[in-house]
mmCIF file of all heavy atoms in Angstrom:
data_model
loop_
_atom_site.group_PDB
_atom_site.id
_atom_site.type_symbol
_atom_site.label_atom_id
_atom_site.label_comp_id
_atom_site.label_asym_id
_atom_site.label_seq_id
_atom_site.Cartn_x
_atom_site.Cartn_y
_atom_site.Cartn_z
ATOM 1 N N LEU Z 34 -19.559 21.054 -8.253
ATOM 2 C CA LEU Z 34 -19.251 20.131 -9.333
ATOM 3 C C LEU Z 34 -18.131 19.196 -8.890
ATOM 4 O O LEU Z 34 -17.305 19.543 -8.028
ATOM 5 C CB LEU Z 34 -18.827 20.890 -10.586
ATOM 6 C CG LEU Z 34 -19.876 21.815 -11.214
ATOM 7 C CD1 LEU Z 34 -19.261 22.556 -12.396
ATOM 8 C CD2 LEU Z 34 -21.101 21.020 -11.652
ATOM 9 N N ALA Z 35 -18.079 18.016 -9.470
ATOM 10 C CA ALA Z 35 -17.039 17.058 -9.132
ATOM 11 C C ALA Z 35 -15.716 17.445 -9.767
ATOM 12 O O ALA Z 35 -15.677 17.994 -10.872
ATOM 13 C CB ALA Z 35 -17.448 15.666 -9.603
ATOM 14 N N ASP Z 36 -14.625 17.169 -9.062
ATOM 15 C CA ASP Z 36 -13.298 17.317 -9.662
ATOM 16 C C ASP Z 36 -13.020 16.176 -10.628
ATOM 17 O O ASP Z 36 -12.328 16.336 -11.634
ATOM 18 C CB ASP Z 36 -12.218 17.322 -8.570
ATOM 19 C CG ASP Z 36 -12.280 18.558 -7.691
ATOM 20 O OD1 ASP Z 36 -12.896 19.566 -8.110
ATOM 21 O OD2 ASP Z 36 -11.730 18.510 -6.574
ATOM 22 N N ARG Z 37 -13.576 15.011 -10.301
ATOM 23 C CA ARG Z 37 -13.365 13.821 -11.123
ATOM 24 C C ARG Z 37 -14.609 12.936 -11.044
ATOM 25 O O ARG Z 37 -15.209 12.805 -9.976
ATOM 26 C CB ARG Z 37 -12.133 13.050 -10.647
ATOM 27 C CG ARG Z 37 -11.796 11.801 -11.465
ATOM 28 C CD ARG Z 37 -10.635 11.039 -10.850
ATOM 29 N NE ARG Z 37 -10.314 9.835 -11.601
ATOM 30 C CZ ARG Z 37 -9.487 8.879 -11.186
ATOM 31 N NH1 ARG Z 37 -8.883 8.995 -10.010
ATOM 32 N NH2 ARG Z 37 -9.259 7.808 -11.935
ATOM 33 N N GLU Z 38 -14.983 12.327 -12.150
ATOM 34 C CA GLU Z 38 -16.102 11.395 -12.201
ATOM 35 C C GLU Z 38 -15.669 10.140 -12.956
ATOM 36 O O GLU Z 38 -14.913 10.225 -13.927
ATOM 37 C CB GLU Z 38 -17.304 12.009 -12.921
ATOM 38 C CG GLU Z 38 -17.890 13.236 -12.235
ATOM 39 C CD GLU Z 38 -19.021 13.852 -13.043
ATOM 40 O OE1 GLU Z 38 -18.716 14.396 -14.134
ATOM 41 O OE2 GLU Z 38 -20.175 13.794 -12.607
ATOM 42 N N LEU Z 39 -16.158 8.992 -12.507
ATOM 43 C CA LEU Z 39 -15.863 7.746 -13.200
ATOM 44 C C LEU Z 39 -16.918 6.692 -12.876
ATOM 45 O O LEU Z 39 -17.653 6.822 -11.889
ATOM 46 C CB LEU Z 39 -14.480 7.224 -12.837
ATOM 47 C CG LEU Z 39 -14.170 6.839 -11.376
ATOM 48 C CD1 LEU Z 39 -12.951 5.906 -11.337
ATOM 49 C CD2 LEU Z 39 -13.873 8.069 -10.522
ATOM 50 N N MET Z 40 -17.007 5.701 -13.739
ATOM 51 C CA MET Z 40 -17.885 4.559 -13.521
ATOM 52 C C MET Z 40 -16.996 3.370 -13.168
ATOM 53 O O MET Z 40 -16.081 3.013 -13.925
ATOM 54 C CB MET Z 40 -18.709 4.263 -14.773
ATOM 55 C CG MET Z 40 -19.661 5.389 -15.171
ATOM 56 S SD MET Z 40 -20.975 5.734 -13.949
ATOM 57 C CE MET Z 40 -21.990 4.249 -14.076
ATOM 58 N N VAL Z 41 -17.228 2.771 -12.021
ATOM 59 C CA VAL Z 41 -16.381 1.696 -11.503
ATOM 60 C C VAL Z 41 -17.107 0.353 -11.611
ATOM 61 O O VAL Z 41 -18.232 0.220 -11.117
ATOM 62 C CB VAL Z 41 -16.006 1.971 -10.039
ATOM 63 C CG1 VAL Z 41 -15.239 0.792 -9.446
ATOM 64 C CG2 VAL Z 41 -15.185 3.257 -9.930
ATOM 65 N N PRO Z 42 -16.491 -0.647 -12.238
ATOM 66 C CA PRO Z 42 -17.115 -1.968 -12.330
ATOM 67 C C PRO Z 42 -17.220 -2.642 -10.959
ATOM 68 O O PRO Z 42 -16.264 -2.622 -10.170
ATOM 69 C CB PRO Z 42 -16.165 -2.748 -13.249
ATOM 70 C CG PRO Z 42 -15.354 -1.718 -13.950
ATOM 71 C CD PRO Z 42 -15.217 -0.584 -12.991
ATOM 72 N N VAL Z 43 -18.377 -3.219 -10.677
ATOM 73 C CA VAL Z 43 -18.602 -4.023 -9.483
ATOM 74 C C VAL Z 43 -19.407 -5.248 -9.910
ATOM 75 O O VAL Z 43 -19.872 -5.322 -11.053
ATOM 76 C CB VAL Z 43 -19.375 -3.246 -8.383
ATOM 77 C CG1 VAL Z 43 -18.576 -2.051 -7.899
ATOM 78 C CG2 VAL Z 43 -20.747 -2.808 -8.891
ATOM 79 N N LYS Z 44 -19.585 -6.166 -9.033
ATOM 80 C CA LYS Z 44 -20.404 -7.326 -9.355
ATOM 81 C C LYS Z 44 -21.832 -6.864 -9.659
ATOM 82 O O LYS Z 44 -22.476 -6.241 -8.828
ATOM 83 C CB LYS Z 44 -20.424 -8.306 -8.186
ATOM 84 C CG LYS Z 44 -21.236 -9.563 -8.466
ATOM 85 C CD LYS Z 44 -21.227 -10.506 -7.277
ATOM 86 C CE LYS Z 44 -22.079 -11.744 -7.569
ATOM 87 N NZ LYS Z 44 -22.099 -12.679 -6.400
ATOM 88 N N GLY Z 45 -22.301 -7.142 -10.862
ATOM 89 C CA GLY Z 45 -23.661 -6.777 -11.240
ATOM 90 C C GLY Z 45 -23.758 -5.562 -12.138
ATOM 91 O O GLY Z 45 -24.813 -5.312 -12.722
ATOM 92 N N GLY Z 46 -22.676 -4.774 -12.280
ATOM 93 C CA GLY Z 46 -22.761 -3.587 -13.120
ATOM 94 C C GLY Z 46 -21.657 -2.601 -12.803
ATOM 95 O O GLY Z 46 -20.565 -2.978 -12.385
ATOM 96 N N ARG Z 47 -21.935 -1.309 -12.986
ATOM 97 C CA ARG Z 47 -20.980 -0.243 -12.719
ATOM 98 C C ARG Z 47 -21.613 0.779 -11.780
ATOM 99 O O ARG Z 47 -22.818 1.022 -11.843
ATOM 100 C CB ARG Z 47 -20.566 0.455 -14.010
ATOM 101 C CG ARG Z 47 -19.941 -0.439 -15.083
ATOM 102 C CD ARG Z 47 -19.789 0.342 -16.366
ATOM 103 N NE ARG Z 47 -21.073 0.934 -16.765
ATOM 104 C CZ ARG Z 47 -21.199 2.016 -17.537
ATOM 105 N NH1 ARG Z 47 -20.124 2.646 -17.980
ATOM 106 N NH2 ARG Z 47 -22.398 2.482 -17.855
ATOM 107 N N ILE Z 48 -20.790 1.381 -10.936
ATOM 108 C CA ILE Z 48 -21.303 2.389 -10.019
ATOM 109 C C ILE Z 48 -20.652 3.732 -10.305
ATOM 110 O O ILE Z 48 -19.482 3.817 -10.686
ATOM 111 C CB ILE Z 48 -21.099 2.001 -8.543
ATOM 112 C CG1 ILE Z 48 -19.626 1.773 -8.218
ATOM 113 C CG2 ILE Z 48 -21.920 0.765 -8.205
ATOM 114 C CD1 ILE Z 48 -19.361 1.498 -6.744
ATOM 115 N N TYR Z 49 -21.438 4.792 -10.118
ATOM 116 C CA TYR Z 49 -20.980 6.159 -10.348
ATOM 117 C C TYR Z 49 -20.191 6.649 -9.141
ATOM 118 O O TYR Z 49 -20.647 6.554 -7.991
ATOM 119 C CB TYR Z 49 -22.174 7.080 -10.595
ATOM 120 C CG TYR Z 49 -21.828 8.555 -10.579
ATOM 121 C CD1 TYR Z 49 -21.217 9.154 -11.675
ATOM 122 C CD2 TYR Z 49 -22.104 9.338 -9.456
ATOM 123 C CE1 TYR Z 49 -20.878 10.500 -11.657
ATOM 124 C CE2 TYR Z 49 -21.778 10.684 -9.438
ATOM 125 C CZ TYR Z 49 -21.158 11.268 -10.535
ATOM 126 O OH TYR Z 49 -20.831 12.595 -10.509
ATOM 127 N N VAL Z 50 -19.000 7.188 -9.400
ATOM 128 C CA VAL Z 50 -18.114 7.689 -8.349
ATOM 129 C C VAL Z 50 -17.688 9.107 -8.712
ATOM 130 O O VAL Z 50 -17.397 9.398 -9.878
ATOM 131 C CB VAL Z 50 -16.867 6.800 -8.195
ATOM 132 C CG1 VAL Z 50 -15.948 7.341 -7.095
ATOM 133 C CG2 VAL Z 50 -17.273 5.355 -7.891
ATOM 134 N N ARG Z 51 -17.644 9.998 -7.722
ATOM 135 C CA ARG Z 51 -17.140 11.349 -7.927
ATOM 136 C C ARG Z 51 -16.242 11.735 -6.760
ATOM 137 O O ARG Z 51 -16.443 11.282 -5.613
ATOM 138 C CB ARG Z 51 -18.271 12.369 -8.086
ATOM 139 C CG ARG Z 51 -19.274 12.406 -6.955
ATOM 140 C CD ARG Z 51 -20.178 13.616 -7.059
ATOM 141 N NE ARG Z 51 -19.509 14.816 -6.557
ATOM 142 C CZ ARG Z 51 -19.968 16.061 -6.713
ATOM 143 N NH1 ARG Z 51 -21.088 16.269 -7.370
ATOM 144 N NH2 ARG Z 51 -19.318 17.094 -6.217
ATOM 145 N N THR Z 52 -15.237 12.571 -7.040
ATOM 146 C CA THR Z 52 -14.328 13.023 -5.996
ATOM 147 C C THR Z 52 -14.212 14.542 -6.019
ATOM 148 O O THR Z 52 -14.396 15.184 -7.054
ATOM 149 C CB THR Z 52 -12.916 12.423 -6.169
ATOM 150 O OG1 THR Z 52 -12.257 13.023 -7.279
ATOM 151 C CG2 THR Z 52 -12.983 10.923 -6.364
ATOM 152 N N ASN Z 53 -13.902 15.090 -4.851
ATOM 153 C CA ASN Z 53 -13.593 16.511 -4.696
ATOM 154 C C ASN Z 53 -12.433 16.644 -3.733
ATOM 155 O O ASN Z 53 -12.352 15.912 -2.743
ATOM 156 C CB ASN Z 53 -14.786 17.295 -4.158
ATOM 157 C CG ASN Z 53 -15.889 17.486 -5.173
ATOM 158 O OD1 ASN Z 53 -16.738 16.611 -5.350
ATOM 159 N ND2 ASN Z 53 -15.891 18.623 -5.846
ATOM 160 N N GLY Z 54 -11.539 17.578 -4.013
ATOM 161 C CA GLY Z 54 -10.440 17.831 -3.107
ATOM 162 C C GLY Z 54 -9.253 16.904 -3.311
ATOM 163 O O GLY Z 54 -9.339 15.894 -4.012
ATOM 164 N N VAL Z 55 -8.160 17.266 -2.651
ATOM 165 C CA VAL Z 55 -6.917 16.499 -2.724
ATOM 166 C C VAL Z 55 -6.409 16.266 -1.309
ATOM 167 O O VAL Z 55 -6.393 17.186 -0.486
ATOM 168 C CB VAL Z 55 -5.843 17.257 -3.533
ATOM 169 C CG1 VAL Z 55 -4.527 16.487 -3.532
ATOM 170 C CG2 VAL Z 55 -6.324 17.497 -4.958
ATOM 171 N N SER Z 56 -5.993 15.038 -1.031
ATOM 172 C CA SER Z 56 -5.447 14.727 0.285
ATOM 173 C C SER Z 56 -3.953 14.999 0.297
ATOM 174 O O SER Z 56 -3.215 14.550 -0.578
ATOM 175 C CB SER Z 56 -5.709 13.257 0.637
ATOM 176 O OG SER Z 56 -7.069 13.069 0.945
ATOM 177 N N ALA Z 57 -3.509 15.768 1.283
ATOM 178 C CA ALA Z 57 -2.092 16.095 1.437
ATOM 179 C C ALA Z 57 -1.810 16.359 2.906
ATOM 180 O O ALA Z 57 -2.732 16.490 3.718
ATOM 181 C CB ALA Z 57 -1.727 17.321 0.604
ATOM 182 N N ASN Z 58 -0.544 16.404 3.259
ATOM 183 C CA ASN Z 58 -0.133 16.719 4.627
ATOM 184 C C ASN Z 58 -0.767 15.794 5.657
ATOM 185 O O ASN Z 58 -1.147 16.215 6.751
ATOM 186 C CB ASN Z 58 -0.462 18.183 4.955
ATOM 187 C CG ASN Z 58 0.217 19.148 4.011
ATOM 188 O OD1 ASN Z 58 1.380 18.969 3.660
ATOM 189 N ND2 ASN Z 58 -0.516 20.172 3.588
ATOM 190 N N GLY Z 59 -0.879 14.521 5.285
ATOM 191 C CA GLY Z 59 -1.404 13.535 6.220
ATOM 192 C C GLY Z 59 -2.913 13.485 6.333
ATOM 193 O O GLY Z 59 -3.439 12.714 7.133
ATOM 194 N N ARG Z 60 -3.630 14.310 5.552
ATOM 195 C CA ARG Z 60 -5.096 14.273 5.582
ATOM 196 C C ARG Z 60 -5.562 13.170 4.631
ATOM 197 O O ARG Z 60 -5.460 13.300 3.416
ATOM 198 C CB ARG Z 60 -5.682 15.617 5.143
ATOM 199 C CG ARG Z 60 -5.285 16.790 6.024
ATOM 200 C CD ARG Z 60 -5.855 16.664 7.413
ATOM 201 N NE ARG Z 60 -5.638 17.881 8.188
ATOM 202 C CZ ARG Z 60 -5.413 17.902 9.491
ATOM 203 N NH1 ARG Z 60 -5.340 16.765 10.160
ATOM 204 N NH2 ARG Z 60 -5.251 19.032 10.139
ATOM 205 N N LEU Z 61 -6.077 12.091 5.173
ATOM 206 C CA LEU Z 61 -6.471 10.939 4.369
ATOM 207 C C LEU Z 61 -7.844 11.146 3.733
ATOM 208 O O LEU Z 61 -8.686 11.870 4.278
ATOM 209 C CB LEU Z 61 -6.491 9.683 5.239
ATOM 210 C CG LEU Z 61 -5.144 9.287 5.847
ATOM 211 C CD1 LEU Z 61 -5.320 8.096 6.777
ATOM 212 C CD2 LEU Z 61 -4.128 8.957 4.756
ATOM 213 N N PRO Z 62 -8.105 10.501 2.601
ATOM 214 C CA PRO Z 62 -9.415 10.617 1.952
ATOM 215 C C PRO Z 62 -10.534 10.061 2.832
ATOM 216 O O PRO Z 62 -10.302 9.238 3.721
ATOM 217 C CB PRO Z 62 -9.247 9.762 0.682
ATOM 218 C CG PRO Z 62 -7.779 9.672 0.459
ATOM 219 C CD PRO Z 62 -7.159 9.694 1.819
ATOM 220 N N VAL Z 63 -11.750 10.513 2.574
ATOM 221 C CA VAL Z 63 -12.916 9.972 3.265
ATOM 222 C C VAL Z 63 -13.940 9.554 2.214
ATOM 223 O O VAL Z 63 -14.231 10.289 1.271
ATOM 224 C CB VAL Z 63 -13.530 10.989 4.261
ATOM 225 C CG1 VAL Z 63 -13.949 12.290 3.579
ATOM 226 C CG2 VAL Z 63 -14.713 10.358 5.003
#
Side-chain angles (χ1 to χ4, degrees):
L34 297 176
D36 292 341
R37 182 185 179 191
E38 297 176 292
L39 62 160
M40 297 296 291
V41 174
V43 297
K44 181 180 179 181
R47 302 171 306 156
I48 58 175
Y49 169 78
V50 180
R51 55 168 280 169
T52 72
N53 287 84
V55 177
S56 287
N58 301 319
R60 299 294 188 214
L61 298 175
V63 58

